[in-house]
Amino acid sequence: MSETIKIPVSDIPEAEAYLVPGDENSTGEDISVFHAEDGSFYALNDECTHEVASLADGWIEGTEVECPMHAARFCLKSGKALCLPATVDAKTHKVEVEGDTVVLYPGVPATDAE
């Protein structure tokens, strides 16, 4: 398993995202950790699968994020592309909350969570 990244919960306000650059995680790709409106945390590869745009700059509503460029939406839980123009799902990463810390497992799909 890859190394974990620990982020203070206070660094990710509700309905916001925290960007973990690719050179700081084991995947080489930027990862966004999202604080959904339901209080949960999720992580997806940051780049929209439709065109180069940062999902961290998008809008979070419920457990979805909308790309700021062309309004493609993705499910934060599964990474599923929910509408056009995106047709390819976003890659998920496992996250856990331990006390006041969000623990990101870069490269471990969220579906592998126990």
Side-chain angles (χ1 to χ4, degrees), residues 58-74:
W59 298 273
I60 298 169
E61 185 172 327
T63 56
E64 298 177 4
V65 62
E66 181 178 314
C67 175
M69 186 172 282
H70 293 116
R73 288 183 296 113
F74 297 89

Side-chain angles (χ1 to χ4, degrees), residues 10 20 28 32 51 64 68 82 84 96 103 106 114:
S10 60
V20 180
S32 290
E51 197 160 313
E64 298 177 4
L82 300 173
L84 295 173
E96 294 178 338
V103 182
E114 298 171 35

Side-chain angles (χ1 to χ4, degrees), residues 94-105:
K94 179 180 173 179
V95 292
E96 294 178 338
V97 177
E98 296 176 357
D100 293 335
T101 303
V102 177
V103 182
L104 169 66
Y105 297 83

Side-chain angles (χ1 to χ4, degrees), residues 19-31:
L19 184 67
V20 180
D23 60 357
E24 293 178 18
N25 69 62
S26 59
T27 69
E29 299 176 304
D30 292 350
I31 297 173

Side-chain angles (χ1 to χ4, degrees), residues 22-87:
D23 60 357
E24 293 178 18
N25 69 62
S26 59
T27 69
E29 299 176 304
D30 292 350
I31 297 173
S32 290
V33 179
F34 298 92
H35 188 169
E37 292 179 333
D38 69 357
S40 299
F41 291 86
Y42 304 97
L44 301 175
N45 272 12
D46 182 59
E47 188 173 297
C48 178
T49 62
H50 166 250
E51 197 160 313
V52 179
S54 171
L55 293 179
D57 292 337
W59 298 273
I60 298 169
E61 185 172 327
T63 56
E64 298 177 4
V65 62
E66 181 178 314
C67 175
M69 186 172 282
H70 293 116
R73 288 183 296 113
F74 297 89
C75 174
L76 293 175
K77 295 178 180 182
S78 66
K80 183 169 179 55
L82 300 173
C83 68
L84 295 173
T87 58

